[in-house]
Amino acid sequence: MDFGFGAADEDFRRAARVWLEEHLAGEFAAAVGAGGPGSEHERGEVRRAWERELGRGGWIGLGWDAESAEGVAGAADATGGAGATGGADAPDAEKSVYGTRRATLTQQVVWAEEYARVRAPARCGHVGENLLAPTLLAYGTQEQKDEFLPPIARGEALWCQGYSEPGAGSDLAGVRTTAVREGGGGGRGADGADGTYRITGQKIWTSLAHEADWCFVLARTEAGSRRHHGLSFLLVPMDQPGRIEVRPIRQLTGTSEFNEVFFDGARARAAHVVGGEGNGWRVAMGLLGFERGVSTLAQQIGFAQELDGVVREALRAGAAADPVLRDRLVRQWAELRVMRWNALRTLGSSGGDDGSPSVAKLLWGGWHQRLGELAMAVRGTAAAVGPTDWSADAPYELDALQRLFLFSRADTVYGGSDEIQRNIIAERVLGLPREAKGPVRGTP
């Protein structure tokens, strides 16, 4: 596929710019640039309101369910009426069945780029939109799509991801959280559904769990199963006092985006198992394939803005005169351009490349970590000093470059460590022998 932007894409770009200029006003204007990595605590209520504003504009879930969107457009043309609800700012003919704007792949890229360009508030609903929604569209029942996609599209439901555990981080097949079926195969559980699951276990490094309304949880539903067998993908409501406990994890940046989540008999409806019982590994792996897509290009615009900040600091501090640091700055710029073209190449491909998500993660994780190191190098010894004097009320204040350095230390670990990504490339792409696996801790 020859990936490029056509006239319709540029029209879409102009519409996106106009909408953002009109709506990033008042309290939303004050939140511009807020909520990025290491600053997720900033303006939480305003950003949640912004999520609903995006929903009213139809900007959440661009490109969802293209086939249904075509059908709705046809029905609207035939009847002269609207085929969907939601997205009040978008013309009815541009809406999908879930109330989102219809958009091609290139138009999704355009929106992501424009959003990042104006430094609009960091999204608090990205887990639901970019991870769960594509998973439901690929593996969910129609009932699950009808129940869960509209609230995400309206910006009303926030989600978190329940994958990693203390003994199952990058090696996700080591999951030990259990989900025991109650109510029988065809019987009805206490909630009136066709049975429930009782979930017991612990998840860790769960982003935004302290704000989420729901969590998609990978749990073991088959007693005695091991590795990737016997797992299921469950949709779990987080508002279960006494059954779900969220404990924030303090990070190097002093903030707490990540959490531990403890499930002590938490309930999930059997009707909320995605892909069927025992098929959790297939669904979970499918979700990870959605994790790196259009959002990668928006991420790179944010990276470019951070790089600009480092260059400005190098010029201010006189570090640009150092030939070694100047070479590192140029190298960062060149590598970022390569990452952009690689992302465009993979977006425009027809699929079948099992290694492309891992290559992308290796590229941006290492690049961003090196940028954080470079941010400290151009500042010299002054990098060790905070932006304000110490006080009991503000014991741990950081500026943007210091947060960049500290937060980026985790870039090569979270979302699948570099070691795991290299294993995936070696085994699934290059066909090298699989790494030997020892027994799961706690099993015979």
Side-chain angles (χ1 to χ4, degrees):
M1 174 180 175
D2 182 14
F3 194 101
F5 298 113
D9 300 323
E10 295 307 323
D11 289 342
F12 191 87
R13 186 185 302 278
R14 284 188 287 273
R17 286 185 175 180
V18 168
W19 191 93
L20 287 167
E21 289 171 1
E22 291 177 350
H23 291 261
L24 274 175
E27 64 174 350
F28 299 139
V32 165
S39 303
E40 293 83 359
H41 61 290
E42 294 177 341
R43 300 186 178 272
E45 288 301 318
V46 174
R47 287 168 49 224
R48 186 146 190 176
W50 173 246
E51 197 77 12
R52 294 190 292 271
E53 186 76 3
L54 290 170
R56 284 188 289 270
W59 293 106
I60 299 176
L62 298 181
W64 283 1
D65 201 8
E67 281 187 22
S68 295
E70 292 291 343
V72 169
D77 290 341
T79 63
T85 59
D89 292 342
D92 289 332
E94 296 178 4
K95 299 175 189 173
S96 79
V97 292
Y98 300 110
T100 65
R101 294 179 186 241
R102 296 168 59 205
T104 64
L105 179 61
T106 51
Q107 289 166 352
Q108 293 171 52
V109 172
V110 164
W111 167 253
E113 290 183 337
E114 290 305 309
Y115 193 92
R117 181 186 62 83
V118 298
R119 300 179 65 244
R123 295 285 307 282
C124 52
H126 61 90
V127 175
E129 179 188 11
N130 298 324
L131 298 184
L132 179 68
T135 303
L136 289 179
L137 290 168
Y139 302 103
T141 65
Q142 190 58 49
E143 291 76 14
Q144 290 169 346
K145 297 173 190 178
D146 291 343
E147 180 177 357
F148 292 107
L149 293 182
I152 295 174
R154 294 192 299 266
E156 295 173 356
L158 302 186
W159 287 77
C160 61
Q161 178 178 356
Y163 272 20
S164 296
E165 299 182 3
S170 293
D171 184 15
L172 193 56
V175 161
R176 299 175 66 190
T177 294
T178 61
V180 178
R181 181 73 175 266
E182 297 178 328
R188 301 180 71 81
D191 63 353
D194 58 344
T196 61
Y197 287 88
R198 186 178 71 254
I199 303 167
T200 303
Q202 178 187 358
K203 298 294 180 178
I204 198 167
W205 310 121
T206 309
S207 299
L208 307 176
H210 57 295
E211 299 177 354
D213 305 299
W214 289 81
C215 181
F216 49 89
V217 176
L218 190 64
R220 201 163 290 282
T221 50
E222 180 183 333
S225 62
R226 296 181 58 184
R227 303 301 297 165
H228 59 279
H229 301 288
L231 296 171
S232 295
F233 189 101
L234 301 99
L235 310 180
V236 183
M238 290 292 287
D239 187 12
Q240 299 191 49
R243 293 175 175 173
I244 297 180
E245 180 184 359
V246 177
R247 298 180 188 172
I249 299 173
R250 188 175 176 88
Q251 301 160 195
L252 276 173
T253 54
T255 58
S256 300
E257 178 208 10
F258 301 109
N259 304 271
E260 295 178 280
V261 182
F262 296 87
F263 299 93
D264 186 7
R267 299 300 197 266
R269 291 177 55 196
H272 291 167
V273 175
V274 179
E277 183 177 297
N279 294 319
W281 184 256
R282 179 172 67 94
V283 177
M285 293 301 99
L287 180 145
L288 292 178
F290 300 127
E291 195 166 11
R292 314 186 221 288
V294 171
S295 58
T296 300
L297 288 159
Q299 178 192 54
Q300 290 169 8
I301 291 178
F303 286 171
Q305 292 168 343
E306 290 178 329
L307 177 57
D308 287 345
V310 174
V311 171
R312 286 194 299 270
E313 180 63 20
L315 293 171
R316 186 201 65 78
D322 184 322
V324 174
L325 289 177
R326 192 165 61 246
D327 179 73
R328 289 173 64 183
L329 288 167
V330 172
R331 182 178 293 273
Q332 288 293 125
W333 177 86
E335 289 177 352
L336 184 58
R337 299 299 296 173
V338 171
M339 285 195 294
R340 173 175 172 77
W341 291 116
N342 181 66
L344 289 171
R345 176 187 65 84
T346 55
L347 276 177
S349 69
S350 57
D353 184 356
D354 289 340
S356 59
S358 294
V359 170
K361 176 59 168 62
L362 284 170
L363 286 174
W364 75 253
W367 184 92
H368 200 226
Q369 195 171 89
R370 292 191 296 276
L371 181 66
E373 295 166 353
L374 185 55
M376 298 297 96
V378 301
R379 186 173 286 179
T381 55
V385 180
T388 59
D389 291 337
W390 186 93
S391 70
D393 295 330
Y396 197 74
E397 292 299 301
L398 301 170
D399 62 29
L401 294 184
Q402 290 169 327
R403 281 196 301 270
L404 165 62
F405 170 69
L406 292 174
F407 194 88
S408 64
R409 306 316 298 165
D411 284 338
T412 54
V413 178
Y414 72 78
S417 69
D418 279 10
E419 291 78 8
I420 292 296
Q421 304 302 341
R422 292 189 177 99
N423 276 355
I424 291 172
I425 294 170
E427 296 171 4
R428 300 183 190 176
V429 180
L430 302 179
L432 298 178
R434 298 185 70 84
E435 182 182 28
K437 306 289 185 183
V440 178
R441 189 173 64 184
T443 61

